[in-house]
Amino acid sequence: MEVVAAVRDFEHSEDYNVTDLEVEICGSFILACHTVKDSYLYDPPQTEVIVTLYDKMICQVVGAKRITVEEVFWSFKVVLSDLYLVLLIRSRLSVYELKERRVPKYNDLWVDRRDIQSLYTIKKISGIVTVIKIREETFLTGDIGGKVKVWDIKTGSKLRTLDIGSAVQD
């Protein structure tokens, strides 16, 4: 097993408090996502979510994004596929597309990078979401009330709701 990154790699250069480190792995990437909570510095209070995308084969950063949320929250959920990233903060769900971008490195060499671009945000997901999964062109949310919702990942349209009768757990 090869070490790709250490916890120190996620420390903020300005000596902020880094919390809630989540790591996701998919076919091509490793995602490290964490929050920086220094709400006392801002009015209104805010929390930053730092997203860093690593190529799984070459173990180098290929994309990054800083997402500022103008409220304090204590945890988040994140899932990843080779094409999309889904981030749930409280009941607000945001979907990002991992768009390929080639940038010149040296004369004839090109480096593949990924832009993490916001597709849309669903402002209120009902229920207390316990599970999020990405499956091809859809993503699923499961909640504590036993509801599994199937969503179109490109548009955010709810396609179907299933009631399984008990809390959905990962």
Side-chain angles (χ1 to χ4, degrees):
M1 181 192 304
E2 180 181 353
V3 174
V4 175
V7 172
R8 183 170 279 307
D9 295 333
F10 306 109
E11 289 181 358
H12 211 282
S13 61
E14 290 107 16
D15 197 29
Y16 289 132
N17 298 319
V18 173
T19 57
D20 300 326
L21 175 64
E22 294 283 333
V23 177
E24 287 285 317
I25 300 173
C26 68
S28 301
F29 304 108
I30 299 170
L31 176 80
C33 191
H34 68 274
T35 57
V36 176
K37 294 177 185 161
D38 284 313
S39 59
Y40 61 88
L41 297 175
Y42 305 101
D43 186 24
Q46 67 184 33
T47 303
E48 291 180 331
V49 179
I50 311 298
V51 176
T52 309
L53 190 66
Y54 296 85
D55 182 286
K56 205 160 96 173
M57 298 303 290
I58 61 174
C59 299
Q60 291 183 356
V61 174
V62 294
K65 187 164 191 75
R66 179 186 303 242
I67 302 161
T68 301
V69 180
E70 290 191 347
E71 63 183 309
V72 177
F73 59 90
W74 298 110
S75 66
F76 62 89
K77 293 188 181 311
V78 64
V79 292
L80 176 71
S81 74
D82 285 346
L83 301 173
Y84 300 99
L85 177 141
V86 179
L87 177 66
L88 177 73
I89 298 173
R90 291 191 174 192
S91 61
R92 187 179 317 121
L93 188 136
S94 299
V95 176
Y96 297 87
E97 187 173 20
L98 307 178
K99 287 213 158 231
E100 187 173 346
R101 177 175 52 105
R102 295 186 61 171
V103 294
K105 185 174 181 183
Y106 302 105
N107 299 336
D108 295 334
L109 299 175
W110 288 81
V111 178
D112 289 330
R113 296 283 186 236
R114 294 286 188 257
D115 282 334
I116 303 170
Q117 296 181 347
S118 177
L119 282 180
Y120 57 86
T121 296
I122 300 171
K123 294 190 183 207
K124 177 77 172 130
I125 300 279
S126 62
I128 299 171
V129 176
T130 55
V131 176
I132 306 172
K133 299 288 183 189
I134 298 175
R135 295 288 182 257
E136 298 172 5
E137 297 298 311
T138 62
F139 70 93
L140 299 99
T141 58
D143 66 34
I144 201 164
K147 302 266 193 286
V148 175
K149 296 173 186 155
V150 182
W151 307 81
D152 182 295
I153 200 157
K154 290 182 180 176
T155 66
S157 302
K158 187 172 16 172
L159 303 173
R160 176 175 297 153
T161 300
L162 308 167
D163 190 346
I164 63 169
S166 62
V168 180
Q169 299 178 352
D170 199 4

